[in-house]
Short mmCIF file of all heavy atoms in Angstrom, two decimals:
data_model
loop_
_atom_site.label_atom_id
_atom_site.label_comp_id
_atom_site.label_asym_id
_atom_site.label_seq_id
_atom_site.Cartn_x
_atom_site.Cartn_y
_atom_site.Cartn_z
N PHE A 239 10.05 -94.29 56.85
CA PHE A 239 9.44 -93.95 58.13
C PHE A 239 10.31 -93.02 58.98
O PHE A 239 9.92 -91.92 59.33
CB PHE A 239 9.17 -95.27 58.85
CG PHE A 239 8.60 -95.11 60.24
CD1 PHE A 239 7.50 -94.31 60.47
CD2 PHE A 239 9.17 -95.77 61.31
CE1 PHE A 239 6.96 -94.20 61.73
CE2 PHE A 239 8.64 -95.67 62.57
CZ PHE A 239 7.54 -94.86 62.78
N PHE A 240 11.52 -93.46 59.32
CA PHE A 240 12.34 -92.68 60.26
C PHE A 240 12.81 -91.38 59.61
O PHE A 240 12.86 -90.32 60.25
CB PHE A 240 13.56 -93.50 60.69
CG PHE A 240 13.23 -94.59 61.65
CD1 PHE A 240 13.22 -95.93 61.26
CD2 PHE A 240 12.88 -94.31 62.96
CE1 PHE A 240 12.90 -96.93 62.14
CE2 PHE A 240 12.53 -95.30 63.85
CZ PHE A 240 12.56 -96.65 63.44
N ALA A 241 13.17 -91.43 58.33
CA ALA A 241 13.69 -90.21 57.67
C ALA A 241 12.64 -89.11 57.57
O ALA A 241 12.97 -87.95 57.49
CB ALA A 241 14.20 -90.57 56.27
N ARG A 242 11.35 -89.48 57.59
CA ARG A 242 10.29 -88.46 57.53
C ARG A 242 10.02 -87.79 58.86
O ARG A 242 9.23 -86.84 58.91
CB ARG A 242 9.00 -89.13 57.02
CG ARG A 242 9.04 -89.64 55.57
CD ARG A 242 8.88 -88.52 54.57
NE ARG A 242 8.78 -89.04 53.21
CZ ARG A 242 7.65 -89.12 52.52
NH1 ARG A 242 6.52 -88.73 53.09
NH2 ARG A 242 7.65 -89.61 51.30
N VAL A 243 10.59 -88.32 59.93
CA VAL A 243 10.43 -87.68 61.26
C VAL A 243 11.51 -86.62 61.38
O VAL A 243 12.68 -86.92 61.62
CB VAL A 243 10.50 -88.69 62.39
CG1 VAL A 243 10.31 -88.00 63.75
CG2 VAL A 243 9.48 -89.79 62.21
N THR A 244 11.16 -85.34 61.21
CA THR A 244 12.12 -84.28 61.15
C THR A 244 12.53 -83.81 62.54
O THR A 244 11.89 -84.11 63.56
CB THR A 244 11.54 -83.09 60.36
OG1 THR A 244 10.37 -82.60 61.10
CG2 THR A 244 11.10 -83.53 58.97
N ALA A 245 13.59 -83.00 62.56
CA ALA A 245 14.06 -82.43 63.82
C ALA A 245 12.98 -81.54 64.45
O ALA A 245 12.84 -81.48 65.68
CB ALA A 245 15.33 -81.61 63.59
N GLY A 246 12.20 -80.82 63.63
CA GLY A 246 11.14 -79.99 64.15
C GLY A 246 10.08 -80.78 64.88
O GLY A 246 9.59 -80.35 65.92
N LYS A 247 9.71 -81.97 64.36
CA LYS A 247 8.75 -82.80 65.05
C LYS A 247 9.34 -83.31 66.39
O LYS A 247 8.60 -83.37 67.38
CB LYS A 247 8.36 -83.98 64.17
CG LYS A 247 7.57 -83.59 62.93
CD LYS A 247 7.19 -84.80 62.11
CE LYS A 247 6.38 -84.40 60.85
NZ LYS A 247 6.02 -85.59 60.04
N VAL A 248 10.59 -83.69 66.38
CA VAL A 248 11.22 -84.15 67.65
C VAL A 248 11.28 -83.03 68.65
O VAL A 248 11.00 -83.23 69.83
CB VAL A 248 12.63 -84.72 67.34
CG1 VAL A 248 13.33 -85.13 68.64
CG2 VAL A 248 12.54 -85.92 66.41
N PHE A 249 11.60 -81.82 68.18
CA PHE A 249 11.64 -80.67 69.08
C PHE A 249 10.26 -80.45 69.70
O PHE A 249 10.13 -80.16 70.90
CB PHE A 249 12.10 -79.43 68.32
CG PHE A 249 12.22 -78.20 69.15
CD1 PHE A 249 13.35 -78.01 69.97
CD2 PHE A 249 11.27 -77.20 69.12
CE1 PHE A 249 13.49 -76.85 70.74
CE2 PHE A 249 11.37 -76.06 69.88
CZ PHE A 249 12.50 -75.86 70.71
N GLY A 250 9.22 -80.54 68.89
CA GLY A 250 7.85 -80.37 69.42
C GLY A 250 7.51 -81.38 70.47
O GLY A 250 6.88 -81.06 71.47
N VAL A 251 7.92 -82.63 70.26
CA VAL A 251 7.68 -83.69 71.25
C VAL A 251 8.33 -83.34 72.58
O VAL A 251 7.71 -83.45 73.65
CB VAL A 251 8.22 -85.05 70.72
CG1 VAL A 251 8.31 -86.07 71.83
CG2 VAL A 251 7.33 -85.57 69.60
N LEU A 252 9.56 -82.90 72.52
CA LEU A 252 10.32 -82.62 73.75
C LEU A 252 9.79 -81.36 74.44
O LEU A 252 9.79 -81.29 75.68
CB LEU A 252 11.82 -82.47 73.43
CG LEU A 252 12.45 -83.75 72.86
CD1 LEU A 252 13.85 -83.48 72.33
CD2 LEU A 252 12.49 -84.83 73.92
N ARG A 253 9.35 -80.36 73.67
CA ARG A 253 8.83 -79.16 74.29
C ARG A 253 7.51 -79.48 74.96
O ARG A 253 7.24 -78.98 76.08
CB ARG A 253 8.63 -78.09 73.24
CG ARG A 253 9.92 -77.48 72.72
CD ARG A 253 10.60 -76.60 73.76
NE ARG A 253 9.86 -75.35 73.97
CZ ARG A 253 9.38 -74.95 75.11
NH1 ARG A 253 9.56 -75.68 76.19
NH2 ARG A 253 8.70 -73.83 75.22
N ARG A 254 6.67 -80.29 74.32
CA ARG A 254 5.40 -80.67 74.96
C ARG A 254 5.62 -81.48 76.21
O ARG A 254 4.78 -81.49 77.10
CB ARG A 254 4.52 -81.46 73.96
CG ARG A 254 3.91 -80.60 72.88
CD ARG A 254 2.85 -81.36 72.11
NE ARG A 254 3.42 -82.47 71.35
CZ ARG A 254 3.90 -82.36 70.11
NH1 ARG A 254 3.91 -81.16 69.51
NH2 ARG A 254 4.37 -83.41 69.50
N ALA A 255 6.76 -82.19 76.28
CA ALA A 255 7.08 -82.95 77.45
C ALA A 255 7.50 -82.08 78.64
O ALA A 255 7.57 -82.57 79.78
CB ALA A 255 8.20 -83.95 77.15
#
Side-chain angles (χ1 to χ4, degrees):
F239 177 52
F240 288 107
R242 294 282 187 103
V243 181
T244 63
K247 292 181 180 179
V248 176
F249 183 78
V251 165
L252 297 170
R253 288 289 290 122
R254 286 191 294 272

